[in-house]
């Protein structure tokens, strides 16, 4: 009996799509799902006539795979991953490998890599981006963990990943939970991008009064520009065209303004606080989702707390262009924050990340794919130790050229009472980062005043601490 090349456990849509992607690329696949009905339905429909073998027990599944076994888990992050690993462990043999393709917390992946390596097995935590479509036709893959395990799956993952001008959108990210860490930060950046686009939409709709057709045109035009050409801008343009099939008008106007989240954006913020890397744009994006979910409270507050009112009286096309510039400048700051977080995590956790290569594998397949990642890749290829993306010549000049427009947009928004938390967080990041002197001399004075926490002096060496008798 011929053994299958690759196994997939978990047949929700991402698992199904990845299994079909692997099969389409010439590898035989075994599949297993906890509920047999799901497996049967898959075999009778999407997997019909394909080189996919169903298994009805884990024993049967494991026995159907060639060695070393390569088993992709596509189950819910958290306890279900541990539960399946525990069931699989006694069935596996040395050298076999488990690949977790869910959005697992990197710390869980650190632990699982260590546990399985200690048991003679191998473990890969693999970030998979691109949603259902990407999983089927070419995702961006971020595998980290046991190095030899990556070498064993490389022929498969390089085929199933999205392909861009400079190769497949996959690379070995690093040891331990590096793959899931990078995917987590990818998602933090995704939250930032989505919030910045939402703020641009708010401004175009509520300052300028653009209709959905006009919004479609603006975003479609931005998608043609070198700076903003991206998957998220493209789908945004498409969203404004979609009519509501349950009633009149456009669907976008019927969707409740209360955003959900599954946790990866929040984890990014938690990690940034733990590592001491400011990521205010991404933090603002997470908070904006949280605030949006207070729908009932906001509806009540809207009756009590009036804003400034007033109308925009400038040039419409001029303002659209300024919003575009503000969006681009804010986006640069958001990516600068995400990459800085990766840089620090790389040192702190000894991930040895190649930031240029990470930007490259995000160029295709994933939610944040964008032409702009070429520039990020170039910036880190030219200087792998770049302290901050904003200092790379290409970014520096663009932001300096556009900062006036960016500031004008924020002044207009503030004047009219339109919240722009991520645009503002980005500008504050830029203004704080570029300033030689910040007011934290006062913070230090206060700390020393009430708690003798000491301070350094501008006229003495760094690392020399002083205390004053304040009373
Ligand atoms: C991707 C996405 C995906 C994520 C969803 C939902 O890269 O394909 O990041 O992995 O799960 O976007 O995330 P939220 O529910 O937290 O918005």
């Amino acid at each position: 009996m011929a053994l299958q090349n690759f196994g997939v456990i978990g047949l929700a849509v991402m698992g199904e799509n990845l299994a079909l992607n692997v099969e389409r690329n010439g590898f035989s696949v075994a599949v297993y799902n906890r509920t047999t009905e799901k497996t049967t339905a898959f075999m009778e429909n999407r997997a019909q006539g394909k080189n996919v073998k169903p298994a009805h027990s884990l024993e049967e599944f494991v026995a159907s795979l060639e060695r070393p076994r390569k088993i992709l888990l596509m189950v819910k992050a958290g306890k279900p991953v541990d539960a399946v690993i525990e069931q699989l462990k006694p069935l596996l043999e040395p050298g076999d490998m488990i690949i977790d393709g869910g959005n697992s917390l990197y710390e869980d992946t650190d632990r699982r890599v260590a546990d399985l390596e200690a048991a003679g097995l191998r473990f890969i935590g693999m970030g998979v981006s691109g949603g259902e479509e990407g999983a089927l036709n070419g995702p961006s893959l971020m595998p980290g963990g046991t190095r030899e395990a990556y070498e064993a799956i490389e022929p498969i993952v390089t085929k199933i990943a999205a392909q861009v001008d400079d190769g497949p959108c996959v690379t070995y990210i690093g040891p331990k939970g590096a793959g899931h860490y990078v995917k987590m930060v990818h998602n933090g950046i995704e939250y930032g991008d989505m919030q910045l686009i939402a703020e641009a939409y708010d401004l175009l709709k509520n300052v300028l009064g653009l209709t959905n057709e006009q919004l479609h045109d603006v975003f479609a035009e931005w998608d043609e520009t070198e700076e903003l050409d991206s998957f998220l801008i493209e789908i945004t343009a498409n969203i404004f065209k979609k009519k509501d099939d349950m009633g009149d008008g456009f669907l976008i106007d019927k969707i409740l303004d209360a955003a959900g989240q599954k946790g990866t954006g929040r984890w990014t913020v938690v990690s940034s606080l733990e590592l001491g890397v400011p990521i205010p744009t991404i933090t603002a994006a997470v908070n904006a989702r949280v605030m949006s979910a207070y729908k009932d409270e906001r509806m009540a507050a809207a009756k009590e707390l009036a804003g400034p009112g007033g109308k925009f009286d400038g040039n419409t096309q001029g303002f659209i262009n300024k919003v575009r510039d503000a969006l681009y400048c804010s986006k640069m700051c958001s990516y600068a924050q995400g990459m800085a977080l990766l840089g620090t995590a790389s040192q702190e956790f000894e991930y040895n990340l190649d930031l240029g290569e990470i930007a490259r594998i995000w160029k295709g397949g994933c939610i944040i794919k964008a032409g702009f990642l070429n520039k990020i890749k170039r910036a880190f290829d030219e200087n792998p130790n770049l302290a901050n993306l904003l200092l790379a010549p290409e970014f520096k000049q663009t932001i300096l050229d556009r900062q006036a427009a960016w500031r004008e947009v924020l002044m207009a928004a503030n004047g009219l009472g339109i919240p722009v938390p991520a645009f503002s967080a980005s500008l504050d990041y830029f203004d704080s980062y570029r300033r030689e002197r910040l007011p934290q001399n006062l913070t230090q004075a206060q700390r020393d005043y009430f708690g003798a926490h000491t301070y350094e002096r501008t006229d003495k060496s760094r690392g020399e601490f002083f205390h004053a008798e304040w009373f």
Side-chain angles (χ1 to χ4, degrees), residues 19-55:
L20 293 174
N21 186 348
V22 171
E23 196 273 346
R24 196 185 61 244
N25 279 290
F27 303 95
S28 56
V29 178
V31 294
Y32 171 78
N33 194 76
R34 196 161 49 98
T35 45
T36 311
E37 295 74 34
K38 196 113 209 4
T39 314
T40 310
F42 181 54
M43 293 311 301
E44 284 173 359
N45 297 293
R46 303 183 71 203
Q48 208 177 49
K50 307 241 152 75
N51 197 349
V52 177
K53 193 165 185 281

Side-chain angles (χ1 to χ4, degrees), residues 14 103 128-132 142 183 186-187 190-191 194 260-265 289 365-368:
M14 291 295 285
N103 271 329
V128 177
S129 180
E132 298 172 17
M142 292 153 251
K183 174 59 170 42
H186 163 285
N187 281 26
E190 170 185 308
Y191 276 50
M194 291 168 75
Q261 54 178 314
K262 295 201 194 70
T264 45
R289 288 197 190 190
C366 67
I367 306 295
I368 65 169

